[in-house]
Amino acid sequence: METQKVSRALLSVSDKTGLVDFAKALAARGVVLVSTGGTAKALRNEGLDVVDVSEVTGSPEMMDGRVKTLHPKIHGGLLAMRGNAEHEAAMAEHAIPAIDLLVVNLYPFEATVRAGGNFNVCIENIDIGGPAMIRAAAKNHAGVAVVVDPKDYMDVLDEIERHDGGTTFDLRKKLAAKAYAHTGAYDGAIATWFAEQLDEDTPEKRVIAGTLERALRYGENPHQWAAFYQTAEQRPGVASAVQVQGKELSYNNLNDTDAAFELVAEFDPKQSAAVAIIKHANPCGVAVAPTIAQAYEKALACDGVSAFGGIVALNRDLEADAATEIVKLFTEVIIAPEAGDEAKEIVAAKKNLRLLITGGLPDPRCEGLTFRSLAGGFLVQSRDNGFVDAHALKVVTKRKPTDQEFADLVFASTVAKHVKSNTIVYAKDGATVGIGAGQMSRVDAARIAARKAKDASDALGLKEPLTTGSVAASDAFFPFADGLQVVAEAGATAVIQPGGSMRDDEVIAAADEAGLAMVFTGMRHFRH
């Protein structure tokens, strides 16, 4: 059946956005409105005639509203196949009225969890009748239209207007697909919450659900399609950000911007300003300083060549002095908790430069999950919320770090956590001076970082490499002493690493021989 006339609609919603206007438009076309509880009350308060579900079923709502629509006269009206003689005979025999349009959205389970509801409150916000009706109507979309999102009200009304009071099969099929995704995501959220209540990190079934934020122009490369989906996680960042200006963000922009903002969030804005310049998800330069403008200058000095076309992330608000410096170099995205009006005006002069305002910083200590697809499956792990505990560091060499070295070691190790492995990060005075990322050999990572530091030194007209007098951080242990020797040759005076190699004694001896101070963190930060 192509077009199905809408004669009776059942409306039962938690989110009443746009409900009254939608119901009035239906009523104006002579559609009988059937409803429950609070929805019926809201419609009657606007002067609409409403038939209570209990009038249809002949049974009252009971058990604190747990049972009201779970009845053959409701589900029969949703599931009966139009044009099927047996179904129509059963409807006539049992006085089951056909329901042509179902409008349902579900109890706010996820909002209840986010609000800190206790176990019993969350349980009571698990909708039963709603998903049952939605699934029934979606299955029978050949004759029934099901609406789960107020955003679709106008599409339904427009279609009814164009098709003499009816809906087309194409629309009903589209709405049915959306309905099943809606109930699937809802059940997935409940399953995830239950696993958390049971402290199950690895439940037998895991569901990942997201809501389409927007389709993207393409993926990592132009021949790949891509889209951006938002999850229920309330974490400040690219998903929550308001884009103040600039052209549409690409897949790579979003990925790199997320990496940049997660990195600067490691640094407490109350203690220091922090800036990270990112390219291909790796930092070109990171620095802390009293102001954002000063931190940007120090971060840019690390690798001004690679910073071209990069992402700039700030842990404090963007102000005019910093904006003035940042726009001097071609930059794809600036992301910050907030921006001053003058800074916005300065950025606005670069019409393609995206400015994202997040309203806050993500908590780097917060628990969460990360996902990665594999052929035939996906990997899940807890977010790397480990951090350098300055009080837990173990000095393993004869020489202890100076106070300045110690501060730079903690800084360098924090940055290394956010660089692709294998990595070596050189830092001095609260700024990176050389970064070697994503190498198969830790020795090569140390050499590349030192070479890039030498290139930056030459560009700045310095007589000595930036790594002279620096410290070095390694994201994992040195398996042999050769990597440490490269670090010493680069001019570093202190090293921070996890430790744990079978040859730790050999590496420590090499550090002592070179006069280096070295500390162990006891925590690896691989990033693949």
Side-chain angles (χ1 to χ4, degrees):
M1 185 179 296
E2 178 61 26
T3 301
Q4 174 63 47
K5 185 174 178 61
V6 178
S7 300
R8 181 178 285 101
L10 194 163
L11 303 92
S12 179
V13 297
S14 173
D15 179 1
K16 296 177 176 56
T17 304
L19 172 69
V20 171
D21 289 341
F22 182 60
K24 285 181 176 179
L26 294 175
R29 297 199 65 94
V31 177
V32 176
L33 305 180
V34 181
S35 193
T36 62
T39 304
K41 181 180 179 181
L43 297 177
R44 287 197 181 100
N45 287 343
E46 295 295 326
L48 290 165
D49 291 329
V50 181
V51 178
D52 282 318
V53 162
S54 58
E55 295 179 51
V56 177
T57 63
S59 300
E61 292 187 16
M62 62 183 74
M63 302 177 184
D64 298 319
R66 283 189 171 201
V67 179
K68 50 191 173 187
T69 59
L70 298 169
H71 194 281
K73 287 194 174 181
I74 298 300
H75 285 271
L78 293 170
L79 285 165
M81 297 172 64
R82 277 58 168 173
N84 183 299
E86 182 180 344
H87 287 204
E88 291 180 350
M91 292 174 74
E93 179 182 354
H94 299 286
I96 297 174
I99 299 171
D100 310 303
L101 172 64
L102 177 71
V103 183
V104 171
N105 50 59
L106 307 174
Y107 292 168
F109 175 78
E110 288 178 294
T112 302
V113 172
R114 285 197 298 270
N118 63 35
F119 185 86
N120 289 334
V121 169
C122 291
I123 289 293
E124 288 308 310
N125 276 275
I126 296 176
D127 204 322
I128 301 300
M133 289 191 292
I134 290 171
R135 291 174 63 82
K139 176 174 181 174
N140 199 29
H141 65 274
V144 181
V146 53
V147 180
V148 296
D149 186 348
K151 295 176 184 176
D152 294 323
Y153 289 168
M154 286 307 302
D155 287 345
V156 172
L157 292 176
D158 288 346
E159 181 126 325
I160 289 174
E161 182 67 28
R162 289 196 307 269
H163 296 279
D164 193 27
T167 59
T168 63
F169 178 75
D170 285 345
L171 177 64
R172 296 194 300 273
K173 186 177 181 181
K174 179 180 177 181
L175 292 172
K178 188 170 185 176
Y180 277 123
H182 186 63
T183 57
Y186 191 77
D187 286 341
I190 296 168
T192 298
W193 174 77
F194 257 112
E196 292 170 353
Q197 302 309 301
L198 296 169
D199 290 327
E200 287 187 354
D201 292 331
T202 56
E204 185 175 350
K205 298 284 186 180
R206 183 175 289 281
V207 180
I208 306 170
T211 300
L212 180 65
E213 199 278 333
R214 65 180 178 275
L216 303 174
R217 287 175 294 160
Y218 53 83
E220 283 186 286
N221 301 290
H223 62 276
Q224 296 172 269
W225 66 263
F228 178 29
Y229 285 82
Q230 291 181 311
T231 67
E233 185 181 31
Q234 301 294 296
R235 187 173 178 83
V238 292
S240 67
V242 174
Q243 184 170 347
V244 176
Q245 69 149 71
K247 61 183 180 179
E248 180 184 348
L249 289 157
S250 70
Y251 179 100
N252 291 331
N253 291 152
L254 290 164
N255 186 60
D256 291 351
T257 304
D258 178 71
F261 203 54
E262 290 287 339
L263 196 167
V264 293
E266 295 275 1
F267 302 100
D268 186 348
K270 295 178 182 178
Q271 295 183 3
S272 61
V275 171
I277 305 172
I278 297 288
K279 195 77 168 289
H280 298 298
N282 275 311
C284 311
V286 184
V288 293
T291 70
I292 288 293
Q294 291 168 331
Y296 176 74
E297 181 181 6
K298 291 170 67 176
L300 183 62
C302 180
D303 188 356
V305 174
S306 297
F308 183 86
I311 312 293
V312 177
L314 322 176
N315 74 338
R316 288 182 182 173
D317 298 353
L318 175 66
E319 298 298 347
D321 55 349
T324 299
E325 295 304 314
I326 293 171
V327 299
K328 289 179 180 178
L329 183 71
F330 169 57
T331 298
E332 292 276 7
V333 181
I334 302 172
I335 184 169
E338 191 47 82
D341 291 339
E342 189 178 352
K344 290 178 181 178
E345 291 179 7
I346 293 168
V347 174
K350 304 289 184 179
K351 65 179 182 178
N352 289 330
L353 172 56
R354 296 87 156 186
L355 174 59
L356 302 184
I357 302 301
T358 65
L361 291 167
D363 181 358
R365 310 291 178 259
C366 184
E367 294 182 352
L369 300 177
T370 65
F371 303 88
R372 178 166 296 181
S373 64
L374 297 178
F378 58 89
L379 295 172
V380 183
Q381 66 174 347
S382 60
R383 178 184 289 119
D384 184 359
N385 61 354
F387 61 98
V388 179
D389 184 349
H391 300 291
L393 296 180
K394 180 182 179 182
V395 178
V396 295
T397 48
K398 295 176 182 177
R399 186 172 78 80
K400 294 182 179 181
T402 65
D403 290 345
Q404 182 60 56
E405 285 175 333
F406 192 83
D408 282 336
L409 288 170
V410 172
F411 168 81
S413 184
T414 301
V415 174
K417 171 184 172 182
H418 292 266
V419 186
K420 298 292 185 182
S421 300
N422 288 314
T423 183
I424 295 293
V425 174
Y426 295 101
K428 183 166 59 177
D429 297 330
T432 57
V433 294
I435 300 173
Q439 297 304 306
M440 295 71 74
S441 162
R442 195 159 302 280
V443 173
D444 285 342
R447 286 172 176 161
I448 289 172
R451 191 206 71 201
K452 291 179 74 67
K454 178 64 167 58
D455 291 344
S457 301
D458 292 343
L460 294 169
L462 301 178
K463 294 181 179 180
E464 291 186 327
L466 289 171
T467 49
T468 302
S470 69
V471 304
S474 176
D475 59 341
F477 62 64
F478 289 95
F480 300 95
D482 50 0
L484 185 84
Q485 289 163 350
V486 172
V487 166
E489 290 167 2
T493 60
V495 177
I496 186 168
Q497 59 135 318
S501 167
M502 291 187 297
R503 297 180 177 84
D504 274 348
D505 290 344
E506 176 185 326
V507 175
I508 293 169
D512 283 332
E513 184 177 350
L516 301 181
M518 185 161 64
V519 298
F520 283 2
T521 67
M523 180 178 292
R524 188 182 74 185
H525 286 295
F526 270 161
R527 189 176 182 87
H528 291 95

